[in-house]
Amino acid sequence: MILFENKTIVITGGTGSLGKVLTKRLLTGNHGRPKKIIIFSRDEAKQYYMRLEYLKKRNATEEIIYDDYQRILDFRIGDIRDYHSVRSVLRDADIVINAAALKQVPSCEYFPFEAVQTNILGPQNIIRAIEEGGLKISAVVGVSTDKACRPVNVMGMTKALQERLFITANLNLPYTRFICVRYGNVLASRGSVIPLFHDQIKNGGPVTVTTKDMTRFLLTLEKAVDTILAALGSALPGEIYIPIIPSSNINNVAKALIGNKKISISYTGIRPGEKIYEELVSEEESHRTYKRGDYYVIKPVLSHFPNHHKDGQPIKKSYSSTDNIMSLSNTRELLSKNDLLLDKELKYEGELLR
C-alpha cells in the first residue's frame, strides 16, 4: 500500500510518543517514500533531541532511510493554537496527522480552557487554514481517544468536539478527506501508567492504583500507528477507525509488573474526571458501527454521507474494556511480549530507563 510516495506529511505534536514512532515507520519507506515529513511542535528541546537521535543513527543498519533523513525530516517550531503558524506549516502538505493534544485528564479538569484551545481551536485552525488558503491537502487524520466516547471529563469533551469538527469539515471541503482514529491507553507512552509503575517499583513502592475495579485497553504504539495507516488506506470521509484490542484490569497490570518483588499496592481513589472503564464505542454509536478487518468503523452521525461500503450488519452493542478482560497470566504475557517487564533495560521514546 503506497500511501506516502512523494508526499509531504505534517505531524502536529510530532515530538510526542506517537509522533516519534509514526516518524520512524514513515522513514522505513514501506508505505512509500515520503517527499518530506514535517515535525510540528512547540517544544524546541524535544525537537533537538529527536533530531539528535537521528543524527546518531544515521549510519545504523536499521531498515530506515537514514541517508536521506536530513532531506526528508523537517522540524518546525509552532503552536497548533496559532492560526498563522498552522497555515504556514500546512502550505505544502499532502497529508496531516493531528497528534497535538492536551491529554492528561486531571490537567484538563483544572485548566479546561487550555484544553479547549489545543484540542478544539487547534483542529479548527487546521480546517480554517485549508479552507482560507485553498490548500490541496488530500487527507487529515484526527487522533482521538476513548474518552471522547460518552465523555464525562474535559479532555473527552474536547476530543469529542475535535471528532465532530473534522467530520463536518468534509461537507465544506469535499476535496480533503477528514477522518479520525480513536483508541485507549497506549502502553509505555509518556504520562501513561506503566512508566509510573516502573518508577514506583524501582523506588521500592508502593505501586499506586486508583481502584481494584479499573480496566483499560492495552494498545502498543505500533498498533496505534497501524490504526492510522489503516484509516488512511481505507476510511471514507467522516469515518472513525477503532482497533480491536485486548483489555486488562489495572490491578493485574500492577501485579504483573511487581512479580515476586515484595512491594505493596496502595489504592488511592478515582482522580477528577477519571473513568473506571474505557469505552471505545457507545451503545448509541453501535448502531452505525461495523467490523472491517481488525477494526471497528463508526460511520458519521450526519445523514449527508453516502454509505459506499457494504460492511454487513452493525455491531449493535457497546465496546468497552470490561468486555474481554485478560487474566493475570495473559496480562503478564502481553507485557513481556512488548518488553515492558522489569527484567531488562527499558526504553521510552528513545531514552533508557535504568
Side-chain angles (χ1 to χ4, degrees), residues 67-204:
D67 289 343
D68 284 352
Y69 107 90
Q70 286 182 306
R71 179 184 65 81
I72 295 174
L73 279 184
D74 185 359
F75 292 88
R76 305 272 189 94
I77 295 290
D79 195 328
I80 196 170
R81 299 177 174 196
D82 179 64
Y83 170 69
H84 299 288
S85 182
V86 171
R87 180 160 174 172
S88 174
V89 79
L90 297 189
R91 185 173 54 228
D92 300 316
D94 297 298
I95 297 170
V96 179
I97 299 164
N98 183 42
L102 284 185
K103 57 185 181 179
Q104 293 296 313
V105 169
S107 297
C108 293
E109 289 297 306
Y110 283 108
F111 305 100
F113 190 62
E114 298 300 317
V116 167
Q117 290 187 89
T118 300
N119 298 352
I120 298 176
L121 299 183
Q124 180 59 31
N125 281 337
I126 293 173
I127 297 165
R128 180 185 168 194
I130 295 172
E131 184 171 21
E132 294 185 357
L135 304 181
K136 307 299 183 184
I137 292 174
S138 62
V140 175
V141 182
V143 177
S144 191
T145 168
D146 64 282
K147 294 163 187 68
C149 178
R150 291 204 300 179
V152 299
N153 52 49
V154 172
M155 195 274 215
M157 293 171 193
T158 55
K159 281 295 195 175
L161 282 170
Q162 176 197 239
E163 290 181 359
R164 296 305 174 90
L165 283 169
F166 280 154
I167 290 169
T168 307
N170 287 287
L171 303 179
N172 297 324
L173 298 167
Y175 298 105
T176 299
R177 179 172 52 124
F178 291 87
I179 55 181
C180 292
V181 296
R182 185 194 285 179
Y183 47 73
N185 281 6
V186 176
L187 286 170
S189 63
R190 189 179 68 251
S192 66
V193 71
I194 289 179
L196 171 65
F197 286 174
H198 283 158
D199 283 338
Q200 290 174 336
I201 292 168
K202 283 179 172 292
N203 290 322

Side-chain angles (χ1 to χ4, degrees), residues 188 194-203 339-354:
I194 289 179
L196 171 65
F197 286 174
H198 283 158
D199 283 338
Q200 290 174 336
I201 292 168
K202 283 179 172 292
N203 290 322
D339 296 328
L340 291 171
L341 297 181
L342 284 168
D343 54 1
K344 60 178 67 178
E345 287 185 331
L346 301 167
K347 267 191 172 184
Y348 299 132
E349 300 183 6
E351 296 180 0
L352 278 175
L353 174 69
R354 297 186 184 278

Side-chain angles (χ1 to χ4, degrees), residues 316-334:
K316 293 185 178 179
K317 63 182 182 66
S318 64
Y319 175 45
S320 84
S321 60
T322 61
D323 289 345
N324 295 294
I325 301 173
M326 292 186 296
S327 65
L328 174 58
S329 61
N330 287 340
T331 299
R332 183 175 176 82
E333 183 181 345
L334 178 67

